[in-house]
Amino acid sequence: MPTPSHLKSSLYFDFRAARRVPETHAWAGLHEHPVVDGGEEGTEDAVPVVDVGAAGAAARVARAAETWGAFLMTGHGVPETLLARVEERIARMFALPAAQKMRAVRAPGEACGYGSPPISSFFSKCMWSEGYTFSPVSLRSDLRRLWPKTGHDYRLFCDVMEEFHKEVRKLADRLLELFLRALGLTGEQIAGVEAERKIGETMTATMHLNWYPRCPDPQRALGLIAHTDSGFFTFVLQSLVPGLQLFRRGPDRWVTVPAVPGAFVVNVGDLFHILTNGRFHSVYHRAVVNRDRDRISLGYFLGPPPHVKVAPLPEAVPHGRSPAYRAVTWPEYMAVRKKAFTTGGSALNMVSTDAAIEPDDAAAAADA
Ligand SMILES: C=C1C[C@]23C[C@@]1(O)CC[C@H]2[C@@]12CCC[C@@](C)(C(=O)O1)[C@H]2[C@@H]3C(=O)O
Ligand SMILES: O=C(O)CCC(=O)C(=O)O
Ligand SMILES: [Fe+2]
């Protein structure tokens, strides 16, 4: 039986002091599929790179979203100096004393706070990571839980995260437009059709910071269990230490995403999979740890507001066919995913209509 998350989060595991990986953190079946390098340009395993500022970007986005469900995004215009400041502040936050971090611990049922990744509540083993989730629109009040007395570090953290959010939220709108163009919608349709316009206007952002401490026995431990992101799409900023792996089929393998300075990894999430009727598919991914260096990543998760139903866009459904998925809100989908985790099924299958047959990715990548 998995340990309830509130129990896990009330005990602080001191990664820094660990000289070995205890049974509580040792995962079986991690090496079921080979791991290949995704950085070798021109090879089949090369993770697609899309310069979103260049001509032809929509077509490249479409191809990457259809074939991989992920890509490395360059040419986005977010200054590298800002990204470096963001990373520095995240590292300082994770270096705070345990007692201070535990003040902000995520309570059961809470969306925001400090602790092991929310998904860990479905597993009996613990991951080799800590994370902090917050909403960028209420970060000044959220962050008072970590820095009750505010002060210099609090202000610098909030300032840099606000600046980052301002830049990246605009970028998300640009990328959404590229995605919709990639689906075949014209500029007029994007501007004029209520449903499409609403997606951009109402899209919400959540930030989740990950810290993967260096690990004495990385072959036995796992930073973040294989999963698909549940929302529309995610921007992942990873430090220069690689660790993010994408699952690819035929032959089944894990592809390590190269650490490209200044690039964001873009992951297609399950609700975008639904919105595009499965044309852009969500990507299974996981994070591994290493012996020598800590790793930090930032996930910027875009999705609909909680009350909005997400259903396949009519433009994404082939003529004469019915939509492959039923309409769901994000919280409804999370409840389905919770059920899928406990029954071992696929959440996308569970919201599909007869018109869609999903490969059971959950089973295929079940190296948990
Ligand atoms: C917006 C969200 C997506 C997320 C759950 C969350 O409410 C905030 C944290 C996100 C995250 C980050 C680590 C992996 C993941 C599966 C998890 O456990 O928490 C994702 C969630 C998701 O994409 O469903
Ligand atoms: O650490 C990473 O590179 C990936 C993080 C991730 O998948 C997530 O936060 O959802
Ligand atoms: Fe993820």
Side-chain angles (χ1 to χ4, degrees), residues 232-251:
F232 281 155
F233 52 91
T234 311
F235 295 147
V236 180
L237 183 66
Q238 59 169 345
S239 60
L240 288 183
V241 181
L244 174 60
Q245 298 180 337
L246 309 177
F247 187 68
R248 297 278 287 157
R249 292 183 164 283

Side-chain angles (χ1 to χ4, degrees), residues 208 210 212 224 227 229 234 236 238 243-244 267 285-287 295 297 299 301:
H208 179 84
N210 296 294
Y212 307 98
L224 188 56
H227 66 280
D229 295 339
T234 311
V236 180
Q238 59 169 345
L244 174 60
N267 289 336
H285 56 283
R286 68 177 187 180
R295 179 169 179 267
S297 72
F301 294 83

Side-chain angles (χ1 to χ4, degrees), residues 23-86:
E23 273 311 311
T24 47
H25 290 67
W27 292 73
L30 288 182
H31 310 289
E32 194 181 327
H33 306 297
V35 173
V36 298
D37 179 10
E40 278 214 39
E41 259 183 76
T43 68
E44 222 201 319
D45 290 324
V47 176
V49 180
V50 180
D51 177 344
V52 288
R60 284 170 193 273
V61 163
R63 200 165 155 61
E66 281 164 359
T67 54
W68 283 71
F71 56 91
L72 278 156
M73 172 172 62
T74 60
H76 48 67
V78 182
E80 271 195 53
T81 46
L82 173 59
L83 302 182
R85 281 166 52 220
V86 164

Side-chain angles (χ1 to χ4, degrees), residues 66-220:
E66 281 164 359
T67 54
W68 283 71
F71 56 91
L72 278 156
M73 172 172 62
T74 60
H76 48 67
V78 182
E80 271 195 53
T81 46
L82 173 59
L83 302 182
R85 281 166 52 220
V86 164
E87 210 184 301
E88 186 200 335
R89 285 295 133 192
I90 297 174
R92 289 175 80 109
M93 185 277 285
F94 281 122
L96 289 173
Q100 196 170 336
K101 292 189 285 189
M102 293 307 274
R103 289 183 57 105
V105 80
R106 187 188 307 105
E110 250 188 349
C112 295
Y114 199 91
S116 22
I119 200 174
S120 53
S121 61
F122 302 116
F123 301 90
S124 53
K125 294 289 182 178
C126 301
M127 295 172 209
W128 202 265
S129 61
E130 290 178 13
Y132 183 61
T133 313
F134 62 96
S135 159
V137 291
S138 55
L139 72 95
R140 284 195 189 260
S141 54
D142 286 3
L143 267 298
R144 292 289 293 271
R145 284 174 66 190
L146 266 179
W147 283 283
K149 294 190 190 134
T150 64
H152 188 64
D153 278 350
Y154 163 83
R155 271 194 302 278
L156 285 177
F157 186 93
C158 293
D159 289 351
V160 80
M161 289 302 165
E162 263 178 6
E163 202 179 326
F164 177 83
H165 168 57
K166 227 170 106 196
E167 290 280 333
V168 175
R169 185 60 189 79
K170 279 189 289 182
L171 178 62
D173 281 340
R174 273 176 59 203
L175 189 68
L176 176 68
E177 181 164 346
L178 275 182
F179 270 128
L180 294 177
R181 279 183 191 276
L183 267 183
L185 272 79
T186 62
E188 265 169 27
Q189 279 173 315
I190 294 169
V193 179
E194 184 66 0
E196 284 78 356
R197 206 177 52 214
K198 255 198 184 147
I199 301 167
E201 279 171 12
T202 62
M203 212 159 48
T204 64
T206 306
M207 283 167 80
H208 179 84
L209 315 177
N210 296 294
W211 175 49
Y212 307 98
R214 51 185 173 268
C215 174
D217 191 355
Q219 298 294 320
R220 254 162 71 85

